[in-house]
Amino acid sequence: MRVISLFIVLILFWLLLSGYFKTLLITLGILSCAFCVYICHRMKIIDAEGHPIHLLFKVPIFFPMLFWEIFKSAIDVTKVVLSPKLNISAKIFALKAEQKTSVGINVFANSITLTPGTFTMIIKGNDFVVHALTQEGADGLITGEMPLNKKVADFENVPSF
């Protein structure tokens, strides 16, 4: 199933980037996509980590939440930076991830880094070292007020096919 979905994704991506719809070029594109899928299959990299197509159905739920968290954090960082007092209280702290897969851990680490005012510095297994611009940003991640940890754990917990 993943082989077929990878082939379809590659063909659609090729068509999107090329923009050519002539018979010869489409045939060459299909052949090159088939060759890439064959190589990936031989290398045994078409798995849940290499091609996480099973997460596709959760994207419409996860991305709006992530964009909302990014927006709220951007407002908070803007307030801190534009404040005459410049109330920066940078913190470095440890955080335990609830994710079980490497894809989930990567999504969580990248979600933290995408959110303004926070940055994932070190990842060792499920233990993260995170830098936050303010104490409130650190507290939001630690206490779960910023629900990235739980939401990413929900995002990765999709039955694979």
Side-chain angles (χ1 to χ4, degrees), residues 14 24 54 101 148:
W14 184 86
L24 176 65
H54 63 282
T101 64
L148 286 178

Side-chain angles (χ1 to χ4, degrees), residues 125-144:
N126 281 23
D127 298 319
F128 291 9
V129 175
V130 178
H131 176 274
L133 186 65
T134 62
Q135 181 65 45
E136 292 80 22
D139 292 342
L141 278 170
I142 293 170
T143 63

Side-chain angles (χ1 to χ4, degrees), residues 47-92:
D47 57 2
E49 182 181 341
H51 184 57
I53 196 73
H54 63 282
L55 297 178
L56 184 64
F57 304 110
K58 288 272 187 144
V59 167
I61 297 167
F62 178 71
F63 274 14
M65 181 280 311
L66 179 61
F67 291 146
W68 178 246
E69 291 300 326
I70 290 171
F71 177 75
K72 289 190 319 188
S73 294
I75 298 295
D76 292 342
V77 169
T78 303
K79 287 178 185 176
V80 168
V81 171
L82 294 179
S83 168
K85 296 179 186 177
L86 202 62
N87 297 327
I88 295 176
S89 55
K91 301 291 179 199
I92 295 177

Side-chain angles (χ1 to χ4, degrees), residues 10-11 18 26 38 44 52 56 63 65 72 85 87 91 109-110 114 116 118 137 139-140 147 149 160:
L10 287 177
I11 288 174
S18 73
I26 291 176
Y38 171 73
K44 295 182 169 76
L56 184 64
F63 274 14
M65 181 280 311
K72 289 190 319 188
K85 296 179 186 177
N87 297 327
K91 301 291 179 199
N110 288 328
L114 280 172
T118 55
D139 292 342
N149 205 349
S160 59

